[in-house]
């Protein structure tokens, strides 16, 4: 129902209010998970989120839970996602109303160009960009191989990377309706400033995410 409402109202509702609406809907989903499935969460590092500044948000990807949580952080966020998701009736159409960066992963060169051009446009408009550096969901336990897309975009746009790790895969497995009771641990790191090279930003991001994910897995 929320997807349908977003699609129907998007022509007359400004982008800022679309982000707020989705944030409200996602908070409702997280509350529903808590009440019906016993899925709670604890966040450390909320004070590390800069105010009034667009960021490249980089988070590990394990299940479904984080796709809801990351849009409730109070930041207008454009998500980097697979283009195929936009073709899903209503759900995909609603995603398109949030101005995501839809990547054709079969064409890697074109995908990087899209990320660069559209990512800089979003950041320049004050909208943060959410990237899952692993590129796909990975099993709980450790960080999967990470692409340099987050560091490349952050360095090019001159904005920080906000690294985040979470361990939702144990409780909210992908492609499954069944959720397991328990607590999701979320850690938000200090922003990685774009005053070093892309390679160094990427190394700092991966190092922090690897170390902190190991501690909560």
């Amino acid at each position: 129902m929320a997807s349908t409402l977003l699609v129907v109202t998007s022509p007359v509702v400004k982008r800022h209010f679309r982000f707020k609406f989705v944030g409200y809907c996602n908070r409702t989903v997280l509350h529903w998970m808590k009440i019906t499935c016993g899925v709670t969460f604890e966040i450390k590092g909320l004070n590390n989120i800069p105010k009034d500044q667009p960021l490249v948000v980089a988070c590990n990807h394990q299940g479904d839970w984080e796709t809801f949580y990351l849009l409730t952080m109070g930041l207008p966020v454009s998500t980097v996602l697979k283009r195929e998701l936009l073709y899903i009736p209503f759900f995909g159409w609603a995603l398109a109303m949030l101005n995501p960066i839809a990547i054709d992963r079969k064409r890697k060169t074109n995908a990087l160009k899209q990320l660069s051009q559209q990512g800089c446009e979003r950041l320049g408009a004050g909208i943060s960009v959410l990237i899952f550096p692993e590129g796909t969901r990975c099993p709980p336990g450790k960080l999967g191989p990470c692409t340099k897309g987050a560091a490349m975009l952050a360095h090019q746009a001159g904005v920080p990377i906000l690294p985040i790790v979470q361990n939702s895969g144990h409780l909210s497995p992908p492609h499954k309706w069944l959720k397991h009771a328990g607590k999701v641990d979320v850690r938000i790191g200090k922003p990685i400033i774009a005053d070093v090279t892309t390679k160094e930003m990427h190394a700092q991001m991966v190092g922090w995410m690897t170390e902190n994910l190991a501690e909560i897995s």
Side-chain angles (χ1 to χ4, degrees):
M1 185 174 70
S3 297
T4 304
L5 182 60
L6 185 59
V7 171
V8 171
T9 60
S10 62
V12 294
V13 175
K14 292 183 178 180
R15 184 164 58 179
H16 174 72
F17 291 104
R18 289 181 233 159
F19 287 127
K20 281 195 169 184
F21 173 73
V22 170
Y24 170 79
C25 291
N26 284 7
R27 281 191 290 273
T28 301
V29 171
L30 294 178
H31 185 67
W32 175 84
M33 285 188 186
K34 177 181 178 180
I35 298 298
T36 62
C37 307
V39 178
T40 62
F41 57 94
E42 180 180 359
I43 306 167
K44 294 183 179 180
L46 278 172
N47 59 320
N48 289 327
I49 303 177
K51 297 181 179 179
D52 303 319
Q53 179 182 14
L55 307 151
V56 173
V57 181
C59 182
N60 69 307
H61 200 8
Q62 291 188 357
D64 297 329
W65 182 90
E66 64 269 20
T67 62
F68 295 104
Y69 168 72
L70 292 168
L71 298 183
T72 68
M73 297 171 59
L75 297 170
V77 173
S78 179
T79 305
V80 178
L81 47 77
K82 298 182 295 184
R83 178 181 293 176
E84 304 91 274
L85 292 176
L86 301 184
Y87 303 148
I88 301 173
F90 294 103
F91 174 77
W93 303 339
L95 279 179
M97 299 302 103
L98 298 176
N99 298 112
I101 301 174
I103 299 296
D104 183 356
R105 297 197 296 186
K106 296 178 182 178
R107 302 173 60 186
K108 293 186 178 181
T109 302
N110 188 56
L112 287 174
K113 185 177 180 180
Q114 284 181 288
L115 176 60
S116 175
Q117 292 179 344
Q118 296 182 43
C120 286
E121 182 273 326
R122 304 294 194 278
L123 292 163
I127 299 171
S128 295
V129 174
L130 168 61
I131 297 178
F132 295 107
E134 296 161 301
T136 188
R137 293 180 178 91
C138 293
K142 63 180 181 180
L143 189 69
C146 294
T147 67
K148 293 184 179 179
M152 179 201 72
L153 176 59
H155 189 268
Q156 184 176 1
V159 302
I161 297 174
L162 185 71
I164 300 176
V165 292
Q166 48 75 40
N167 60 354
S168 70
H170 297 289
L171 308 179
S172 180
H175 313 304
K176 292 184 180 180
W177 286 102
L178 180 64
K179 309 300 179 186
H180 305 287
K183 181 179 70 175
V184 179
D185 288 305
V186 183
R187 290 192 182 184
I188 303 174
K190 294 182 179 180
I192 300 170
I193 309 301
D195 60 355
V196 294
T197 66
T198 296
K199 183 178 181 179
E200 290 171 317
M201 290 187 77
H202 179 73
Q204 289 183 39
M205 179 193 78
V206 172
W208 184 90
M209 293 177 74
T210 300
E211 178 181 349
N212 282 269
L213 185 58
E215 292 179 1
I216 63 175
S217 293

